[in-house]
PDB file of all heavy atoms in Angstrom:
ATOM      1  N   TYR B 363      14.848   9.459   6.084  1.00 98.00           N
ATOM      2  CA  TYR B 363      14.923   9.805   7.489  1.00 98.00           C
ATOM      3  C   TYR B 363      15.633   8.685   8.316  1.00 98.00           C
ATOM      4  O   TYR B 363      15.680   8.727   9.531  1.00 98.00           O
ATOM      5  CB  TYR B 363      13.507  10.048   8.092  1.00 98.00           C
ATOM      6  CG  TYR B 363      12.919  11.399   7.628  1.00 98.00           C
ATOM      7  CD1 TYR B 363      12.279  11.477   6.392  1.00 98.00           C
ATOM      8  CD2 TYR B 363      13.051  12.519   8.387  1.00 98.00           C
ATOM      9  CE1 TYR B 363      11.741  12.699   5.959  1.00 98.00           C
ATOM     10  CE2 TYR B 363      12.512  13.739   7.986  1.00 98.00           C
ATOM     11  CZ  TYR B 363      11.856  13.801   6.755  1.00 98.00           C
ATOM     12  OH  TYR B 363      11.337  14.984   6.343  1.00 98.00           O
ATOM     13  N   SER B 495       8.778  -8.574  39.574  1.00 96.00           N
ATOM     14  CA  SER B 495       9.117  -8.972  38.205  1.00 96.00           C
ATOM     15  C   SER B 495      10.378  -9.870  38.265  1.00 96.00           C
ATOM     16  O   SER B 495      11.287  -9.609  39.053  1.00 96.00           O
ATOM     17  CB  SER B 495       9.386  -7.734  37.325  1.00 96.00           C
ATOM     18  OG  SER B 495       9.698  -8.193  36.014  1.00 96.00           O
ATOM     19  N   VAL B 647      -2.267  16.515  28.689  1.00 97.00           N
ATOM     20  CA  VAL B 647      -1.743  17.535  27.741  1.00 97.00           C
ATOM     21  C   VAL B 647      -2.235  18.892  28.141  1.00 97.00           C
ATOM     22  O   VAL B 647      -3.443  19.080  28.454  1.00 97.00           O
ATOM     23  CB  VAL B 647      -2.066  17.211  26.288  1.00 97.00           C
ATOM     24  CG1 VAL B 647      -3.549  17.042  26.068  1.00 97.00           C
ATOM     25  CG2 VAL B 647      -1.481  18.258  25.350  1.00 97.00           C
ATOM     26  N   ASP B 659      12.459  34.635  29.866  1.00 95.00           N
ATOM     27  CA  ASP B 659      12.369  35.819  29.036  1.00 95.00           C
ATOM     28  C   ASP B 659      13.676  36.035  28.204  1.00 95.00           C
ATOM     29  O   ASP B 659      14.284  37.084  28.193  1.00 95.00           O
ATOM     30  CB  ASP B 659      12.083  37.095  29.900  1.00 95.00           C
ATOM     31  CG  ASP B 659      11.712  38.207  29.033  1.00 95.00           C
ATOM     32  OD1 ASP B 659      11.283  37.977  27.869  1.00 95.00           O
ATOM     33  OD2 ASP B 659      11.830  39.400  29.508  1.00 95.00           O
ATOM     34  N   ALA B 671      28.179  42.203  18.932  1.00 91.00           N
ATOM     35  CA  ALA B 671      27.835  43.330  19.796  1.00 91.00           C
ATOM     36  C   ALA B 671      26.749  42.859  20.800  1.00 91.00           C
ATOM     37  O   ALA B 671      26.849  43.185  22.024  1.00 91.00           O
ATOM     38  CB  ALA B 671      27.219  44.457  18.944  1.00 91.00           C
ATOM     39  N   SER B 686      23.015  46.976  39.076  1.00 96.00           N
ATOM     40  CA  SER B 686      21.564  46.859  39.309  1.00 96.00           C
ATOM     41  C   SER B 686      21.235  45.809  40.349  1.00 96.00           C
ATOM     42  O   SER B 686      20.146  45.740  40.892  1.00 96.00           O
ATOM     43  CB  SER B 686      20.851  46.481  37.986  1.00 96.00           C
ATOM     44  OG  SER B 686      21.049  45.119  37.677  1.00 96.00           O
TER      45      SER B 686
END
Side-chain angles (χ1 to χ4, degrees):
Chain B
Y363 288 83
S495 181
V647 57
D659 193 21
S686 78

